[in-house]
Amino acid sequence: MSSTHVLVLNCGSSSLKFAIIDPTTAQEHLSGLAERLGEDSPQIKFKHDGEKHIISLNAGDAHQIAIDKLVELVKSLGLDKELVAVGHRVVHGGEHFTQSALIDDTVHQAIVKTADLAPLHNPANLLGIDAATQAFSHLPQIAVFDTAFHQSMAPSAYLYALPYDLYKTHGIRRYGFHGTSHYFVSTQAIKALGLEQKSSRIITAHLGNGCSVCAIKDGKSVDTSMGLTPLEGLIMGTRSGDIDPGLFSYLVNQLNYSVEQVDTLLNKQSGLLGISELSNDCRTIEEAAADGHPQATLALEMFCYRLAKQIASFAVPLGGVDAVVFTGGIGENSDVIRAKVVEQLGFLGMTIDKTANLDARFGKQGEITRTGTGPKALVIPTNEEWVIAHDAAQLAQEQ
């Protein structure tokens, strides 16, 4: 192994996803998840050389303990000497960051300041940064931001029609998320189709428990469906997506909801879960719909309709469409949803290839539309960890 490997950390409020990646080949030498941190029965599950293992932690053990155990694991496997950097996924970079950054005091404070825009994510990301800085003090720490890719949007795309002072004083605007995923799959689509980046028009759909669509022109994000928070845009696993803002006052004034209850309703009780009253898991809903469950069927129809409508609308900022790319857990595996969406985009000249659509599942990449004059539809598995590793290695090399 050459000494160019990066430890990638994605820290959540009660979890820590990690991997050691060779940024030149995208090969993973170690991958795993520390889960239920700070709760009962926390544990670290990891995979090395094709074998799966579990390390049990003590009840209540949190991020620093998990990082310390990870350090011990990395050293015991002899991987520590190969590391050149630690790359951190940071959800919100606000307007401070248009690209990945070496974490110093200034960058750290900017992430702290931006935490108000992502109160569920940035504080957790900071826990991982602080723990890793203590554990790997000799390595450069690199922040890779979900929002950075979308900083190329024009004011006409990112501003809300609110009093302008709210933007100037408080930074209230549309930021977008899933930037590393949209960037990765769009560049892969351009390569796969033999397009020139400087004249390409790509729409990417990252579909998982969180969902977003991005319009990418000449390799740059020009619009995206998520906004100030990840709640805006598409129907998602438990998030409502776009709603009438007047619903807030109705729920509070007429139905006596508290602000906290409204927030919980829209973020955790809505979306596929709320409509189906079954699950936020697309596989469960597809199975129930196939068995004739009316609300599961409705949830799928609503999900696909809103997605197709969002994709079609992004032909406007692009001035046309070369390709639509599906990625994320749902995008990569649900042939049912892809077929429904492509069917609704038939007016663009797209026709699903049923065999190719079935084949492009479970980690397989492929074009899923028939040859014709319309835009292509592709499935490309995302690799956000590789993007983080690549940026981290590049910035570390520049130090």
Side-chain angles (χ1 to χ4, degrees), residues 242-263:
D242 290 342
I243 57 163
D244 179 353
L247 175 66
F248 284 81
S249 60
Y250 182 84
L251 290 172
V252 171
N253 296 325
Q254 303 299 321
L255 301 184
N256 297 316
Y257 275 65
S258 67
V259 173
E260 291 75 16
Q261 286 174 319
V262 173
D263 185 73

Side-chain angles (χ1 to χ4, degrees), residues 276-300:
S276 70
E277 295 186 317
L278 286 175
S279 175
N280 65 313
D281 191 305
C282 192
R283 293 165 295 186
T284 300
I285 293 173
E286 285 185 19
E287 290 169 2
D291 289 337
H293 190 287
Q295 283 175 248
T297 301
L298 176 62
L300 280 182

Side-chain angles (χ1 to χ4, degrees), residues 183-197 200 202 365 378 380 386 390:
Y183 164 75
F184 177 79
V185 298
S186 64
T187 57
Q188 295 300 304
I190 288 169
K191 291 177 183 176
L193 296 173
L195 301 175
E196 290 289 333
Q197 185 185 75
S200 58
I202 308 292
Q365 176 175 321
L378 297 88
I380 298 179
W386 176 83
H390 177 270

